[in-house]
Amino acid sequence: MRKGTYVLIIFLVFFFLFLATIISFIYYEFAKPPSIKAHSYLEINLSGEIMERTAPDFLFTLFAGRKPLTMYNLWMNIRKAKMDARVDSLLIHLSYLQCGWAKINELREAILDFKKSGKKVYAYVEEGFEFDKEYYLATACDKVILHPLGSLNINGIGGYFPFLKKALAELGIAAEFEHVEEYKTAANIFTEKGFTPAHKEMMVSLYGDLFSQYVKTIAQARGKSENKIKELIDQGFFYGEKALNEGLIDELLFPDQIENLLKENKKRINKISFEQYSRVKPSSLGLNKGKKIALIYGSGPIYTGVSYYQTIGSKTVAHWIRRASRDNSIAAVVFRVDSPGGSAVASDVIWREVVLAKNEKPFIVSMSDVAGSGGYWISMAAHEIVVHPQTLTGSIGVVAGKFDMSGLYEKLGITSERLTFGKRADIFSSFRGFTQEERKLLKDQILWIYKQFLKKVAEGRNMTEDEVDKIGKGRVWTGNQAKELGLVDKIGSLSTAIAIAKERSGIPAEEEVRLVIWPKKISFLKALFGRKETKSGLNLDSRLERIISIIKFLERDNVWALMPIWIEPE
């Protein structure tokens, strides 16, 4: 076959792929709202990754047959279903979820709010392996239903934390980092062989608080004592009948038997899928209309420059905030933050824009799974900060450094010659390590940045710098702990943050508002070719993926306000 034929085939494949994607996009975006009959139930398949809000739906929709799950769509659809007289109940097919505890809690709160309408919610589980987060969500439902042959494994939270110092040394790589201060453990995976005392203290505190919240909540939901729940968690594994006998679930049913349960004495009941229901306009149910409130999403690592898919670019996000603050039709701003931090400079660019915006109108931050270090930096100037009990925040500290790869280069036979104009031109070169003098210079630099961090936290939170320093030093806190320490203002959800924004804007609590959302839709090409730092593109264990992503991140800037590489409990 000739070369030109191969080129033509490749062109046709991409052309038809592109065409199918566009058709799929048009269908999902512009198709008429579905016709919903009375006595319907909304079916939600909860599985896989849940992001805050993502616009690149094209390829996912084409190949998966549905849009990606996002917190915004889930939150809005559940709100719609609560108001929709045609929808009698929710049926949630629950499987393994890739998100943190705070997002799970947000969904749990949305379900509890839905139940205030008097409508029922049912959770159906075919098999729950390492199902603690998912079970925490399921206990908000009226009934938890398990497949008769299924198992429910709730065995607690925690696991192993690998450290790479020895492995890097074997390769001839030395991680050279300075940090402020002892709890700033973002680089410990590379610089230590195990937990330092401060690192261990912080992790025990975080996991202990999250486990306590988990046990207390499901004990109340299932009508059991906390000690009994701990006993059941220690057992860990429950097949169908055992889970039922222990009171962890309410029914054992095959999928075809569920509809009879949902009928509740009705002759007929109709199913509507989540994808179909997403095309129902909120305004048709009295929602998302009225005065405007900006809802700005900041998700992912923080960089200087332009945002790409699942990243926070300082230039882009600052622009969104500036536009919202200058738009007289927008009454307030809610900034939804889900970020482990990143560049200190980029974080400060966004912080400055928040300071300017709050002088114009109410500015409220709603924290999701993670809003620490740089994620806290971009939040701390807000009028009020709302968190979930399980949000990981704080981490007020700074880290800087590099990888000395000279040993690896020697093993590979790579040689070099030094050519510099300026004494420190090669200070961040991977061909050599830091000198003692350079380490001191680096430490002095990050100490200065840490002091700026303390000063700005103190201003934003009405505290003294000494008070901030005592709870700073790079330490991560749960939302509950942060509330007690004064780092945040209220425990609540996105709905709570919107309610505060309405109150501060003089909008009556019972009055609906229209959310003006940033980012807007991302183009097909940007979704396909834009930077996505959170995945290496390799088929690797998720922790190794995160190691690779943070190495790539550390290569970009010199000074970071960054949380530990992984801190979310499993």
Side-chain angles (χ1 to χ4, degrees):
M1 193 177 291
R2 295 180 179 180
K3 182 178 178 181
T5 305
Y6 282 118
V7 172
L8 178 61
I9 291 172
I10 293 171
F11 171 79
L12 289 174
V13 168
F14 275 94
F15 174 77
F16 284 113
L17 177 62
F18 179 79
L19 185 62
T21 302
I22 295 299
I23 293 171
S24 175
F25 170 71
I26 292 172
Y27 172 75
Y28 277 95
E29 292 297 319
F30 301 106
K32 292 181 180 180
S35 176
I36 302 174
K37 298 177 182 178
H39 302 307
S40 293
Y41 68 91
L42 175 61
E43 184 178 57
I44 304 175
N45 293 308
L46 277 181
S47 65
E49 186 176 10
I50 301 180
M51 294 172 280
E52 278 299 322
R53 185 175 186 271
T54 180
D57 306 334
F58 309 100
L59 293 178
F60 193 99
T61 299
L62 177 64
F63 292 112
R66 64 175 176 87
K67 290 188 176 184
L69 286 175
T70 67
M71 289 301 299
Y72 178 80
N73 286 346
L74 287 164
W75 173 75
M76 182 57 78
N77 269 3
I78 293 172
R79 287 185 69 214
K80 290 189 300 187
K82 176 186 176 183
M83 302 297 294
D84 196 336
R86 300 166 297 181
V87 177
D88 293 339
S89 59
L90 301 182
L91 173 61
I92 300 174
H93 290 271
L94 195 53
S95 186
Y96 178 71
L97 294 172
Q98 294 173 266
C99 64
W101 282 84
K103 285 188 178 69
I104 295 289
N105 192 72
E106 181 99 43
L107 292 173
R108 198 176 192 281
E109 292 295 321
I111 289 170
L112 292 174
D113 181 65
F114 174 87
K115 288 168 61 176
K116 292 177 183 178
S117 66
K119 302 177 183 181
K120 298 291 183 67
V121 187
Y122 303 91
Y124 185 71
V125 179
E126 289 193 345
E127 189 168 19
F129 181 73
E130 292 190 343
F131 218 60
D132 293 270
K133 284 189 295 190
E134 294 79 3
Y135 184 65
Y136 175 81
L137 174 59
T139 59
C141 301
D142 292 283
K143 285 193 176 183
V144 182
I145 308 162
L146 184 65
H147 188 283
L149 200 61
S151 62
L152 182 69
N153 301 343
I154 53 168
N155 54 326
I157 61 176
Y160 286 84
F161 294 80
F163 293 86
L164 304 181
K165 181 178 181 179
K166 188 175 178 181
L168 291 176
E170 291 289 328
L171 294 171
I173 301 172
E176 299 194 339
F177 290 88
E178 292 293 332
H179 55 89
V180 181
E181 279 290 349
E182 64 268 27
Y183 296 100
K184 194 65 181 177
T185 60
N188 280 24
I189 182 174
F190 306 116
T191 61
E192 305 293 336
K193 295 180 180 179
F195 284 125
T196 62
H199 194 176
K200 183 68 173 286
E201 177 192 354
M202 179 176 69
M203 297 306 291
V204 168
S205 174
L206 289 172
Y207 274 58
D209 186 41
L210 292 167
F211 184 68
S212 176
Q213 294 174 41
Y214 169 49
V215 169
K216 182 179 180 180
T217 301
I218 63 174
Q220 291 174 347
R222 300 305 300 177
K224 298 181 181 296
S225 69
E226 292 183 32
N227 286 335
K228 178 61 178 176
I229 292 297
K230 289 178 182 178
E231 288 177 14
L232 293 172
I233 288 172
D234 286 342
Q235 292 181 42
F237 304 94
F238 303 90
Y239 56 82
E241 288 185 4
K242 187 177 180 182
L244 182 63
N245 293 337
E246 291 289 1
L248 292 172
I249 64 170
D250 302 288
E251 300 269 2
L252 291 170
L253 295 174
F254 289 99
D256 61 279
Q257 296 175 308
I258 295 175
E259 192 166 301
N260 289 330
L261 180 68
L262 296 175
K263 281 183 179 178
E264 295 182 342
N265 301 319
K266 303 180 186 75
K267 290 183 178 181
R268 292 190 62 183
I269 190 164
N270 306 290
K271 179 179 78 173
I272 182 163
S273 71
F274 185 83
E275 289 73 31
Q276 289 174 317
Y277 200 64
S278 294
R279 303 207 311 270
V280 174
K281 293 182 179 180
S283 57
S284 69
L285 298 166
L287 300 173
N288 206 36
K289 57 194 298 185
K291 295 179 180 177
K292 295 179 183 177
I293 286 180
L295 176 55
I296 298 175
Y297 281 88
S299 299
I302 303 171
Y303 300 91
T304 53
V306 178
S307 291
Y308 290 87
Y309 176 46
Q310 296 299 305
T311 64
I312 300 175
S314 57
K315 183 177 181 180
T316 302
V317 175
H319 173 68
W320 293 340
I321 294 172
R322 193 179 311 119
R323 281 187 60 185
S325 67
R326 294 176 179 178
D327 188 334
N328 293 330
S329 70
I330 292 176
V333 179
V334 174
F335 189 21
R336 177 76 167 180
V337 178
D338 191 21
S339 171
S343 164
V345 171
S347 300
D348 203 51
V349 169
I350 297 171
W351 168 85
R352 174 62 178 173
E353 211 59 54
V354 173
V355 170
L356 295 174
K358 69 181 287 191
N359 292 330
E360 301 297 326
K361 58 193 60 175
F363 196 102
I364 313 300
V365 163
S366 169
M367 292 182 172
S368 184
D369 280 334
V370 178
S373 206
Y376 186 76
W377 196 313
I378 65 177
S379 306
M380 61 192 178
H383 286 112
E384 292 190 53
I385 301 173
V386 180
V387 297
H388 289 280
Q390 304 90 343
T391 298
L392 299 176
T393 189
S395 194
I396 299 166
V398 187
V399 62
K402 69 173 183 177
F403 291 97
D404 172 11
M405 302 180 70
S406 56
L408 176 62
Y409 296 151
E410 184 177 352
K411 290 182 179 183
L412 296 174
I414 299 173
T415 59
S416 65
E417 291 191 24
R418 184 173 185 263
L419 179 63
T420 62
F421 294 87
K423 183 179 179 181
R424 313 219 183 272
D426 63 340
I427 187 171
F428 285 105
S429 170
S430 62
F431 280 89
R432 69 171 180 86
F434 290 124
T435 65
Q436 287 300 113
E437 181 187 13
E438 288 169 342
R439 277 191 171 276
K440 184 179 183 305
L441 286 171
L442 189 62
K443 185 76 172 192
D444 289 344
Q445 180 188 18
I446 64 174
L447 276 169
W448 181 82
I449 293 174
Y450 178 62
K451 289 178 181 177
Q452 308 311 306
F453 203 165
L454 294 181
K455 180 181 178 181
K456 290 174 179 180
V457 175
E459 291 173 356
R461 302 304 305 167
N462 294 317
M463 303 167 73
T464 67
E465 291 183 36
D466 286 341
E467 288 172 335
V468 177
D469 185 42
K470 288 178 182 177
I471 57 178
K473 302 183 187 298
R475 181 156 182 173
V476 182
W477 305 97
T478 65
N480 267 344
Q481 294 168 338
K483 171 70 166 59
E484 294 175 1
L485 296 169
L487 287 174
V488 302
D489 298 287
K490 289 187 180 178
I491 301 294
S493 62
L494 176 61
S495 296
T496 307
I498 292 171
I500 294 170
K502 286 165 62 176
E503 181 182 2
R504 282 181 168 266
S505 303
I507 301 172
E510 67 278 4
E511 192 173 304
E512 266 298 310
V513 291
R514 177 185 167 194
L515 298 176
V516 180
I517 301 174
W518 281 282
K520 306 294 185 182
K521 289 292 180 183
I522 295 176
S523 71
F524 171 76
L525 292 177
K526 183 174 283 190
L528 193 59
F529 299 111
R531 179 180 64 202
K532 186 173 184 284
E533 297 286 351
T534 55
K535 294 286 182 183
S536 68
L538 304 175
N539 184 21
L540 302 172
D541 174 80
S542 60
R543 286 185 167 179
L544 187 54
E545 286 276 5
R546 282 174 274 179
I547 293 169
I548 292 172
S549 70
I550 202 164
I551 290 174
K552 290 165 69 179
F553 177 82
L554 293 175
E555 291 173 347
R556 181 178 170 90
D557 292 295
N558 299 136
V559 180
W560 312 280
L562 185 69
M563 285 183 65
I565 180 169
W566 64 73
I567 202 166
E568 67 274 14
E570 296 184 349

